[in-house]
Amino acid sequence: MTPDTAAAFSSFTDLSTIARAAAIPSGYKQSFVDQKGSSQQIGYLTYKTYKTYDVQGCADACDGEKYCFGFNIFFERDPSLEPGPGCTDPPSTTTIKCSLYGYPVVGKAATNLGQWRQKFQVVIAGSNGYSKLAKPLPTVKGFKPPTSLPAAINAPLDNGYNTYNGMRFLNTNPYDPALCAAACQAQTEYDKAHPDSDGTYRPCNFFTSYILTRNEVPLGTYCALYTRSWDSSYATNTGYSDGSDKYAVINVGAYEITSLSSGGSPGQTPTPTPTPTPTPTPTPTPAPMPESIPSPPSNLLLNPGFEETTTDGAYKLPNDWQGTMINGGRVYAEDDQKDQFHPGAHAGTTYA
């Protein structure tokens, strides 16, 4: 390419023409086309290089990866030699890369514009993103076949009993409900080892796993744990808005454990198909999500994504709370004061 500059590479119309003419692979939707940035989001799996702009080959590679939800293919201006002293701006070469992701690929995350390596500028052109139209929920050992839900569960009280049993937030792995299953089983083991005074405990018999997005960009996987199952009529929690930010739940799966536990109460096996009347509750104002959410400690038990405190009207981030057990209920308080906690997505029960 003449001249051999980053500006010439970025404005080279042939690259845009190739990207725009690329066919959409069967089973995928095009998330973005001909951007000058590559994807920069959670769930990165691996990348491959191709001699041609092979969108179908990239789709085949994604289909061959167990956890792949989508991919990003693009042209990258790379140095032909390693930049260093005496060779700070070597001649360029064009690399066609295909990056695979364990979450849906979205245009708002195509923000990697390249970098400087000595005096050589790496830039991106013709960047296209594709996400799977549908990805079947995987089966999980020890649990019944999953049920796909249109939204997250909004569970009412069950005859005055709160069936919600904590959550886990995961953003260092691809979307994988098996991790939620492991958290569910670990929660049961923990509660069984720390029973209430009457010898009973709160087992995890059911969980939902879903991807939380902010303005379409995946933030990670939420695992919501319950002592009993809830059917699709309670799947009404689609997300919320916070100012200009819109949070949504996608790819929701529900899993019921194969061998239900009564929690140590003889003859009180949980009912797998609930029919209680929901208790109307006010909709809380959601807490703003942090720019980068760290994975919480393993003993952190929170309501998935809808936390709020009322002390001085100040919102607290999810990782500010630590949960303790009092009379079988979850208590969520800051280290330095007794804030009230409102699990608004789970019947509005308040713990102080």
Side-chain angles (χ1 to χ4, degrees):
M1 186 178 298
T2 304
D4 187 3
T5 63
F9 182 91
S10 296
S11 61
F12 190 43
T13 57
D14 285 5
L15 303 183
S16 291
T17 299
I18 293 172
R20 291 181 178 276
I24 301 175
S26 176
Y28 288 82
K29 65 178 180 179
Q30 191 172 62
S31 304
F32 56 92
V33 61
D34 193 27
Q35 297 297 301
K36 297 191 183 300
S38 60
S39 294
Q40 190 169 246
Q41 61 177 68
I42 63 171
Y44 173 75
L45 297 174
T46 187
Y47 82 91
K48 301 180 182 295
T49 59
Y50 294 92
K51 293 182 178 180
T52 61
Y53 197 84
D54 190 358
V55 175
Q56 184 59 55
C58 201
D60 292 342
C62 184
D63 291 340
E65 289 282 344
K66 178 179 179 180
Y67 301 108
C68 187
F69 258 86
F71 64 90
N72 174 213
I73 185 170
F74 53 93
F75 298 99
E76 184 174 277
R77 180 181 186 261
D78 291 327
S80 58
L81 300 171
E82 183 66 27
C87 184
T88 58
D89 191 13
S92 73
T93 185
T94 300
T95 306
I96 300 174
K97 290 185 177 181
C98 166
S99 298
L100 308 182
Y101 288 87
Y103 286 93
V105 171
V106 296
K108 292 181 180 179
T111 56
N112 181 6
L113 304 179
Q115 60 179 302
W116 285 93
R117 298 179 59 185
Q118 297 286 326
K119 293 184 179 180
F120 185 92
Q121 187 177 5
V122 176
V123 290
I124 309 297
S127 178
N128 285 9
Y130 303 86
S131 293
K132 291 189 174 184
L133 290 172
K135 187 173 175 62
L137 292 166
T139 57
V140 175
K141 184 178 180 180
F143 289 79
K144 297 177 182 180
T147 300
S148 180
L149 299 178
I153 292 293
N154 191 357
L157 295 179
D158 182 8
N159 296 318
Y161 181 76
N162 185 11
T163 65
Y164 176 65
N165 201 24
M167 62 78 70
R168 297 293 184 273
F169 179 74
L170 310 168
N171 66 353
T172 57
N173 303 87
Y175 180 68
D176 182 9
L179 298 176
C180 293
C184 179
Q185 293 168 319
Q187 184 66 54
T188 296
E189 290 302 313
Y190 178 85
D191 286 348
K192 188 175 182 179
H194 300 81
D196 293 338
S197 57
D198 60 0
T200 63
Y201 62 93
R202 292 167 56 83
C204 178
N205 285 312
F206 174 77
F207 72 86
T208 58
S209 174
Y210 61 87
I211 298 171
L212 180 70
T213 67
R214 178 176 58 203
N215 303 325
E216 301 179 1
V217 178
L219 295 176
T221 300
Y222 268 96
C223 312
L225 315 181
Y226 299 87
T227 61
R228 66 172 297 171
S229 64
W230 296 94
D231 63 38
S232 60
S233 66
Y234 297 93
T236 60
N237 187 348
T238 60
Y240 61 91
S241 294
D242 179 35
S244 61
D245 291 325
K246 183 177 180 179
Y247 295 84
V249 297
I250 62 173
N251 214 74
V252 186
Y255 293 77
E256 184 180 53
I257 201 163
T258 303
S259 299
L260 296 172
S261 171
S262 64
S265 299
Q268 296 184 15
T269 302
T271 304
T273 305
T275 55
T277 302
T279 303
T281 57
T283 302
T285 303
M289 301 294 288
E291 286 300 313
S292 178
I293 308 175
S295 296
S298 59
N299 65 342
L300 192 66
L301 302 172
L302 299 174
N303 216 3
F306 302 87
E307 291 77 23
E308 156 179 57
T309 59
T310 57
T311 300
D312 300 325
Y315 294 123
K316 307 297 181 184
L317 298 181
N319 53 317
D320 286 340
W321 281 284
Q322 291 183 339
T324 57
M325 294 285 292
I326 293 182
N327 297 327
R330 297 287 187 247
V331 178
Y332 301 81
E334 272 197 298
D335 294 337
D336 59 346
Q337 56 185 332
K338 296 290 185 180
D339 286 344
Q340 286 190 321
F341 178 83
H342 298 270
H346 299 269
T349 306
T350 300
Y351 299 94

